[in-house]
Each structure stands twice: as structure tokens, then as C-alpha cells.
Amino acid sequence: MSNRLVIWLVVSAVLTLAGCASAPTPAPAPAPAGTDHSSRYTITQDRAPTGNFDASGLSDAVPVYQAPVRAGNKSTYTVWGKQYSVLKSNDGYVASGTASWYGEKFHGHKTSNGETFDMYQMSAAHKSLRIPGYARVTNLDNDHSVIVRVNDRGPFHGDRLIDLSYAAAKKLGYQSRGTARVKVESITVKPNGSMFVAGQPFALDGQLPAQKAASTDNANAAKGEQGTGGGLFVQLGSFSSHNPAKKLQNRAKNVLSNPVRVRSVDTASGRFHRVQVGPFQDEGSARKTQNLLETKGFSQSIVLTDSN
């Protein structure tokens, strides 16, 4: 083989390789909202939070009226090759099926309508309900019910009907099993404050949300006048033993000027010692302190009322 032929073959090979290297590589398709395979998640497999999270004192979501929004409500969307539709209205929706839960993997990430998922709050993901919305979810095995704020899309695994936050699943008693048979009933609130569950008139504790809020404000004001506290607390943790609660209380006192208490409460699951900061007379103040605590490493706090 002549030297000229060898040189020509080498040059041809180099040009071919250069052409492959410069060819544009297709960008990966963005992960659909509500799916669990996006690279933005640092945890591969979802899991429950560490420690003994006590959900017994966590209040249900309180339904309120909100004008329809576009975020997260695209009429049809496709996930993993399957097409889904969003309801024009949640009025009258009732369905039974399998509920699962999602937790630490998605904690702190954006939901389908741009809110931040908090596994310690009462929220849920649904494939077709308009978001944000509300639903009453009942565990058909023990008849326990919770009210959740629906602000995400999913679940897209098998025939599962709804994904609840870890806290909501724990309140329903199925967090250790992973799934449960549930009934889901939509809760809608009209501009005048009237509330309906599955199309039927409904009220929280016999009162409409506005009436309930007014009653709570009046009760808290009365407590304040009597010097007995009241308002909201930021709960940092709940323990079956008093010693770790005391340690957490001391740790919080080192970074806050707010009062920090250990409140012992008897529940159906036994006695728990709750570490709580407060009281706060409005939610804005409580949330501001909760955000400050998160920057200091207190990542599992919840906001609850004094009665919880």
C-alpha cells in the first residue's frame, strides 16, 4: 500500500469522527409534572422522613374559595405515552380506588401548579381534579378521613387514584403499608363561602370557613385577654420520650428569642412530648418564624393551633 493511500485513509477517518462529534445531540425530553424520574431529584427512591413524625396534632387543610387558575390545569397532557384530561369542574366528583403517598424525595420541590411540596402538610396529587382544589379522603379499611389540598398531578403508577403527602397518609394510618383503599370526594367552595362535598352542602364543624375563622379569631382574642395564650405554634418535633424533646427545646432556645415549650399530650397512640415555638396570633408571623427555623436546620416543623 502506497504512503499516499495510507495518508488518505487516515484523513478520511479523522473527518468522519469529527463529523460525528459535531453532530447535535437531541436534548432529553423534560420530565412531565408529577413524575418521579427527573434529574432534579437528589433521591432515587422515595422514602419516609427519619424519626418519629407525630401527625396526630396536624390539622386538616381548610378549604377556601379561589378563582380558577391556569397553572397546572392544561386540559389534556401526556405522561409516559398515556393521555390524561383535567376536569372542567371538581363539583360532584366522587371516586374510590387505591391511594399511595409521596414523601422525602419530593419534599421542597415544586408541585404542578408552582407551589412547594411539603410532606408534613395535608396535600395530595391527582390526575384529573382541577388544582388547587380540596378533597375529603376516607380510608375504607378504618373509616378515618382527612381533608387535603390538591396541588399536584399524579400518581402515574398502575391504577392508583391519588397520592397523599406522607403526613396525610400517616393520619389515615397506611403510611407503613404504602397503599390503602380510599374514597375521594371533592370539596368545592363558592365565592359566597358556601361549601359542597361531592355536590352536597357541607360545613366544617357545622360552620362555613369564614364563620370558623371568625370564631377562632374571637376565641384566640379572648384567650389573649385572659392571659392564657392561644393562637398558633410552630411545632419542631414530637417524641414518645421526654429527654429528646427537652434537648430539641434547648437547641431551639439557642437560636430564637421566641418562647419554646414542651407540651405533653396523650393521644390514641400514647403520650407524646411536643416541642413548640409560640404562640403567634397570626399565620404570617408563624410562617416567618418557621422559615427562619428551616434556615437554622429545623426542617420538619409544622404550624398548628393551640388546641392540637
Side-chain angles (χ1 to χ4, degrees):
M1 181 181 295
S2 67
N3 290 337
R4 182 176 296 179
L5 178 58
V6 170
I7 293 173
W8 181 85
L9 290 173
V10 170
V11 171
S12 297
V14 169
L15 290 175
T16 300
L17 290 173
C20 293
S22 61
T25 302
T35 59
D36 61 358
H37 58 280
S38 170
S39 60
R40 67 192 177 107
Y41 301 116
T42 57
I43 302 175
T44 303
Q45 297 294 327
D46 198 8
R47 64 193 182 200
T50 57
N52 182 20
F53 170 63
D54 173 25
S56 61
L58 186 60
S59 300
D60 284 345
V62 178
V64 296
Y65 170 74
Q66 182 172 346
V69 297
R70 296 179 61 184
N73 289 311
K74 186 177 180 181
S75 59
T76 58
Y77 62 97
T78 302
V79 177
W80 293 335
K82 185 174 180 179
Q83 191 174 78
Y84 300 91
S85 298
V86 175
L87 297 174
K88 293 182 178 179
S89 170
N90 293 345
D91 290 348
Y93 176 90
V94 181
S96 296
T98 301
S100 48
W101 60 262
Y102 61 137
E104 193 168 351
K105 176 177 180 177
F106 304 91
H107 184 69
H109 291 282
K110 296 296 184 182
T111 64
S112 296
N113 70 334
E115 297 178 11
T116 300
F117 173 63
D118 186 342
M119 63 180 169
Y120 300 109
Q121 299 297 325
M122 305 298 285
S123 65
H126 194 279
K127 292 185 284 289
S128 60
L129 285 173
R130 297 193 67 81
I131 55 177
Y134 298 88
R136 181 171 66 187
V137 183
T138 302
N139 185 337
L140 297 177
D141 293 327
N142 59 20
D143 206 32
H144 292 173
S145 295
V146 296
I147 295 176
V148 294
R149 178 176 171 85
V150 183
N151 62 0
D152 207 357
R153 290 285 170 232
F156 302 110
H157 300 277
D159 59 352
R160 295 177 187 177
L161 177 64
I162 193 169
D163 245 349
L164 299 188
S165 64
Y166 176 79
K170 189 164 187 179
K171 286 203 73 172
L172 286 183
Y174 74 88
Q175 80 286 355
S176 60
R177 292 186 288 121
T179 60
R181 298 184 310 115
V182 300
K183 179 169 69 172
V184 178
E185 303 166 283
S186 67
I187 297 176
T188 53
V189 183
K190 302 302 181 182
N192 64 0
S194 59
M195 188 182 304
F196 299 84
V197 59
Q200 300 299 315
F202 174 70
L204 299 174
D205 300 331
Q207 296 178 312
L208 295 177
Q211 297 170 324
K212 183 180 179 69
S215 297
T216 301
D217 290 343
N218 291 338
N220 287 339
K223 287 181 180 179
E225 291 170 0
Q226 299 166 9
T228 56
L232 301 172
F233 284 81
V234 178
Q235 182 166 295
L236 305 181
S238 184
F239 305 88
S240 56
S241 299
H242 188 270
N243 188 46
K246 189 65 177 177
K247 288 181 178 179
L248 184 60
Q249 179 191 32
N250 292 335
R251 180 182 158 206
K253 284 182 174 180
N254 289 332
V255 299
L256 286 176
S257 59
N258 307 74
V260 185
R261 72 181 185 181
V262 175
R263 184 185 180 208
S264 298
V265 179
D266 292 317
T267 73
S269 302
R271 169 164 285 198
F272 285 92
H273 306 278
R274 299 173 177 172
V275 183
Q276 300 174 335
V277 181
F280 302 92
Q281 293 303 320
D282 61 85
E283 185 177 357
S285 299
R287 296 293 181 188
K288 183 177 180 179
T289 299
Q290 184 185 35
N291 292 336
L292 172 63
L293 286 164
E294 287 184 357
T295 66
K296 302 294 185 180
F298 299 87
S299 60
Q300 297 187 7
S301 64
I302 59 175
V303 175
L304 42 71
T305 63
D306 187 36
S307 59
N308 292 131

